[in-house]
Amino acid sequence: MESRVLSGAATITAGIPRLCKNARPSSTFFITAKLNGAGAIDGSGGNFIWGRQLRPAILLESSPLPAVNLPATKREILRPSLAAASSPAEGSDSAGDAKIAPVGFLEKYPALITGFFFFMWYFLNVIFNILNKKIYNYFPYPYFVSVIHLFVGVVYCLVSWAVGLPKRAPIDSNILKLLIPVAVCHALGHVTSNISFAAVAVSFTHTIKALEPFFNAAASQFVLGQQIPLALWLSLAPVVLGVSMASLTELSFNWLGFISAMISNISFTYRSIYSKKAMTDMDSTNLYAYISIIALFVCIPPAIILEGPQLLKHGFSDAIAKVGLTKFITDLFWVGMFYHLYNQLATNTLERVAPLTHAVGNVLKRVFVIGFSIVVFGNKISTQTGIGTCIAIAGVAIYSYIKAKMEEEKRQLKSA
């Protein structure tokens, strides 16, 4: 049945089908609406939310149609799909004629789809880290490479918006003000991570970045004023101990790589804080696209100022002489694509699973990255570094498990 648009005081231009066998008349119709800036339903006739047609249940505060003889309740939920399944279609005299659509493969096996998301998240993350380090081995310019990561992702988002996958969500000055601090912290954390990747072994950078939960807990306690349970603080002790052990005997250790990774931890911690203050109804794909665009503009000036003269003088020419122009360009393109896709998949995976599952998956991802980087690059690590890395990862796993369980219990209490 075609959707009919109701605007202002709604009037029905077509007759309302009635059931022959029911004592009380009923109606079946579709209503389309759009949300205004405040998130309320606007019945002015639009039928798109960010480009997606509305076909869910529509909530009516009161019925303006006394002739329909709907139940006298304050709020009425009209579900077109259920109405179609439980009521006969127009022109039909029997409810048995209604047909239920067959269940698709995606709905029948959701666990396989979730597993595929995890696999692609891990796969793209490992490939990104390996290719990223290979680029730094012949092109050690982390500011410029960071810009390329974001630039390729932004181009990807713009093309996706152009073809409508997904539809671009509208943004106003209020949302922009909320997203700017998040994007600035994202840009700073991204650049300093890449400085560390360029300066030391990939495995060592990820070991230091295992300290991020410690900074999150400290910021929550001392910046946001949230009380952190003793159990969480105790679970962070092995993280600090493990990172300290690994740092003392890391063969590729240098202060630039260590300090950059620590700044990255602090930046991403504040990104989390500002993200909580910038909660919007925008979907995660559009939200990450806008953050990437803002972060790109933040990263361009320091890249030009700090690395621009060196790149023009010998940076580009040296890289092209080592690997050739074609490989140089394709490496930069694919590392940017892998960076954007693995971050987007991480967000999409979080939407499909519980926070506890995602937290455990994130810890395992770090284990995969560290392990594969050691194998691919043949990095030699001391026994103490290996033990320290294992202790740190175990501590992160314990912390993530306790924190996710606590958040799950809070949600259950609120819903009870």
Side-chain angles (χ1 to χ4, degrees), residues 272-292:
S272 299
I273 293 174
Y274 286 120
S275 295
K276 293 177 182 178
K277 298 179 180 179
M279 296 298 290
T280 68
D281 294 330
M282 192 181 297
D283 63 282
S284 61
T285 302
N286 276 287
L287 191 64
Y288 184 67
Y290 282 121
I291 290 174
S292 296

Side-chain angles (χ1 to χ4, degrees), residues 36-88:
N36 60 23
I41 295 180
D42 177 9
S44 61
N47 66 335
F48 287 89
I49 295 181
W50 302 331
R52 293 176 290 185
Q53 265 192 323
L54 282 176
R55 297 196 183 274
I58 302 299
L59 192 63
L60 301 179
E61 293 295 333
S62 60
S63 174
L65 309 170
V68 177
N69 196 22
L70 293 174
T73 55
K74 185 177 180 181
R75 297 166 72 88
E76 175 83 5
I77 297 181
L78 303 178
R79 297 186 182 275
S81 59
L82 294 180
S86 60
S87 310

Side-chain angles (χ1 to χ4, degrees), residues 222-273:
F222 303 112
V223 177
L224 298 179
Q226 299 174 354
Q227 190 64 33
I228 302 299
L230 180 62
L232 276 181
W233 283 115
L234 292 177
S235 68
L236 289 170
V239 181
V240 177
L241 175 64
V243 172
S244 300
M245 289 178 60
S247 300
L248 290 174
T249 56
E250 170 60 37
L251 300 178
S252 68
F253 179 89
N254 64 56
W255 283 108
L256 176 62
F258 179 81
I259 294 174
S260 298
M262 295 293 282
I263 294 174
S264 173
N265 285 334
I266 298 172
S267 301
F268 287 137
T269 296
Y270 275 93
R271 182 187 65 179
S272 299
I273 293 174

Side-chain angles (χ1 to χ4, degrees), residues 119-184:
F119 170 77
M120 291 304 297
W121 176 24
Y122 285 19
F123 173 77
L124 292 174
N125 192 276
V126 169
I127 296 299
F128 162 74
N129 279 276
I130 292 174
L131 181 56
N132 202 45
K133 184 61 178 179
K134 285 185 175 180
I135 290 174
Y136 286 134
N137 286 339
Y138 69 82
F139 187 69
Y141 297 94
Y143 289 92
F144 178 80
V145 174
S146 298
V147 169
I148 294 298
H149 292 165
L150 294 169
F151 176 76
V152 174
V154 166
V155 172
Y156 175 88
C157 293
L158 295 177
V159 172
S160 298
W161 282 340
V163 299
L165 296 172
K167 293 289 185 181
R168 186 182 70 84
I171 187 171
D172 55 30
S173 58
N174 293 327
I175 297 178
L176 186 62
K177 290 177 183 178
L178 293 174
L179 293 184
I180 286 177
V182 180
V184 170

Side-chain angles (χ1 to χ4, degrees), residues 3 72 91 107 120 166 186 261 271 273 328 350 358 385 388 416:
S3 300
E107 292 79 12
M120 291 304 297
H186 178 71
R271 182 187 65 179
I273 293 174
F328 179 52
L350 178 58
H358 192 268
T385 297

